[in-house]
Amino acid sequence: MRDLRWIVLYLLTVVGVTLIHQPLYLLIGLVVVILFSGSLRWRLLRKALLSVLLFNTAVSLGYLVIALLRDEFHIEYLILINARVLLLVMLGFWLSARINFANALRFSPTLTFLTTLAAGQIRLMSRIINDYRAAFESRCLKRPNWRERSRLAVVQTEAIVEQSHHAATEISQAMRSRGVFND
């Protein structure tokens, strides 16, 4: 039950963070989350920064271009959106490192089943990525250049999408045959 309380607290915190429009308060919240992360703080912060890097860069550059063209640039807004996204991602990583989702959702057999199913799919996709990476590294005598690495990323993405589609079809057919969907 303790894990379920953490999920409820997390959901309330996410709503609260989306209602805060002062970058200073968001940055203070980020510092608090980092401090409460304990020994995992630097690993979670690094993971969060790497996770939001591409998204935040694209959004920030898009805002920067449009705002400069309209002569409406506000650095506070740029700090606000980046701080909010980083805080939300850091909260999510902190929560996932802290609790057992299957244990938290055990009050509902359906949610427990879906959580177990999602965890299995995550492990499957991680294994596929690791297999591709190991196969690629074993076939390269020297460090691959950017073009070769980007080709690997495309192939990995295609394999993951194909595997996900296949698994989703199989799982939905199995669930439908057992009466989970009533349509």
Side-chain angles (χ1 to χ4, degrees):
M1 198 57 161
R2 182 182 67 84
D3 290 341
L4 182 58
R5 289 187 193 137
W6 278 111
I7 290 178
V8 171
L9 180 64
Y10 167 76
L11 293 174
L12 292 173
T13 305
V14 166
V15 171
V17 166
T18 59
L19 296 175
I20 295 173
H21 300 294
Q22 295 296 322
L24 179 63
Y25 296 141
L26 293 172
L27 292 172
I28 290 171
L30 183 61
V31 169
V32 169
V33 171
I34 290 170
L35 291 176
F36 279 128
S37 295
S39 63
L40 297 175
R41 78 174 47 103
W42 302 119
R43 187 172 65 100
L44 293 178
L45 182 61
R46 180 180 179 272
K47 193 174 176 182
L49 285 170
L50 290 174
S51 296
V52 302
L53 181 67
L54 185 62
F55 175 78
N56 277 17
T57 302
V59 170
S60 297
L61 288 176
Y63 168 74
L64 189 64
V65 168
I66 298 298
L68 289 176
L69 289 175
R70 292 182 177 178
D71 199 31
E72 299 174 357
F73 177 72
H74 299 285
I75 190 72
E76 300 85 21
Y77 181 72
L78 197 58
I79 294 170
L80 173 75
I81 59 174
N82 284 296
R84 180 175 288 147
V85 169
L86 185 58
L87 176 57
L88 289 172
V89 170
M90 186 70 180
L91 279 169
F93 284 143
W94 180 61
L95 180 75
S96 65
R98 184 172 181 82
I99 71 165
N100 180 344
F101 283 96
N103 187 32
L105 301 174
R106 72 174 181 228
F107 67 90
S108 168
T110 304
L111 289 176
T112 302
F113 173 72
L114 291 174
T115 303
T116 304
L117 196 60
Q121 289 300 307
I122 290 169
R123 285 206 171 109
L124 177 66
M125 296 306 147
S126 295
R127 194 189 82 223
I128 289 172
I129 289 171
N130 289 335
D131 288 350
Y132 268 91
R133 186 172 294 131
F136 184 71
E137 288 173 0
S138 71
R139 288 174 175 83
C140 293
L141 297 175
K142 58 182 172 102
R143 179 169 165 74
N145 62 25
W146 182 84
R147 185 179 215 157
E148 291 168 339
R149 289 193 312 256
S150 64
R151 273 193 234 134
L152 171 68
V154 169
V155 171
Q156 281 180 337
T157 303
E158 289 173 352
I160 288 172
V161 168
E162 179 70 29
Q163 179 66 33
S164 298
H165 182 264
H166 176 71
T169 303
E170 292 292 320
I171 290 168
S172 67
Q173 287 175 352
M175 291 172 74
R176 188 176 311 276
S177 72
R178 289 169 179 81
V180 174
F181 300 124
N182 296 324
D183 43 321

